[in-house]
Amino acid sequence: MKISQLLLSVMSFVVTLNISTAAPLLVLADQHSGHKHDAEIRTQLNLNDGKKWRTDDALRHAMTNIRISVTNTLTAIHSGNLKSMQYDVLTKSIEKEIAFIVAHCKLDPKADENLHIILGRFAIGVDIVTAKRGTQEKELGVINMAETLNTYGKYFDHPGWRAIEFNSH
């Protein structure tokens, strides 16, 4: 199955998903900036006048840790060595890093708005992985997280950041 097909599956799965697990992460993401937001929820990322958004040490630290966790999980999935408890380790790690971002990251308000979108996408990935579904859906959640990491790298200036490469089959 190609990545585009998998992402389409993720999106259709998310539509039917009870997001009870994602709700706490979405609340954390919303509390992150302490800024008042319009009633409209933005879902589209944008650049800073054509440039990537600046990051701070806290954000770079947490995103690097998330990337390591997701990459390790993808490697275990592809090698056929993933144990079901590793999904729990992954989601707990991401929840911990998002809490760290919320507590320590200080970005420009416009950059922060874009970061909220990234954190919301992680919340969806966590919800997919923790839902009482089959292994294939959990794998789709991990792919969702990897795609979110790649998107982060396209919109945020994180020196040394590398996209996660996928097997397109």
Side-chain angles (χ1 to χ4, degrees):
M1 187 180 281
K2 292 187 178 189
I3 293 301
S4 58
Q5 293 169 316
L6 287 172
L7 290 175
L8 206 56
S9 296
V10 166
M11 297 320 277
S12 63
F13 179 68
V14 168
V15 169
T16 62
L17 188 64
N18 174 356
I19 62 168
S20 61
T21 305
L25 288 179
L26 291 171
V27 168
L28 269 177
D30 191 46
Q31 291 172 348
H32 170 148
S33 67
H35 304 293
K36 298 215 184 263
H37 298 282
D38 297 327
E40 177 183 334
I41 296 174
R42 288 189 51 239
T43 58
Q44 189 75 321
L45 291 160
N46 58 42
L47 291 169
N48 183 11
D49 292 324
K51 296 179 184 170
K52 293 181 181 184
W53 296 101
R54 287 186 42 203
T55 58
D56 63 10
D57 289 339
L59 178 59
R60 289 188 298 271
H61 173 80
M63 293 303 285
T64 298
N65 288 343
I66 291 172
R67 187 185 189 288
I68 291 167
S69 294
V70 169
T71 302
N72 289 343
T73 304
L74 280 173
T75 300
I77 288 170
H78 289 180
S79 68
N81 295 323
L82 185 75
K83 295 178 178 31
S84 62
M85 70 170 200
Q86 287 175 274
Y87 286 115
D88 292 334
V89 170
L90 172 66
T91 57
K92 287 185 185 346
S93 171
I94 290 177
E95 289 168 345
K96 175 184 158 218
E97 296 304 334
I98 288 176
F100 181 85
I101 291 168
V102 170
H104 298 96
C105 180
K106 306 291 183 236
L107 298 179
D108 167 270
K110 293 285 186 188
D112 195 61
E113 285 179 23
N114 282 278
L115 182 59
H116 283 216
I117 296 168
I118 295 291
L119 296 180
R121 291 180 183 179
F122 278 122
I124 291 169
V126 166
D127 199 45
I128 293 169
V129 170
T130 58
K132 301 225 183 292
R133 305 284 182 171
T135 301
Q136 186 175 14
E137 287 85 359
K138 291 180 185 298
E139 290 174 5
L140 291 173
V142 176
I143 290 169
N144 170 275
M145 292 178 206
E147 283 294 324
T148 299
L149 287 164
N150 288 348
T151 300
Y152 163 79
K154 292 176 186 174
Y155 288 89
F156 288 87
D157 184 16
H158 186 133
W161 188 262
R162 292 176 300 123
I164 297 173
E165 302 215 7
F166 292 92
N167 180 354
S168 62
H169 300 290

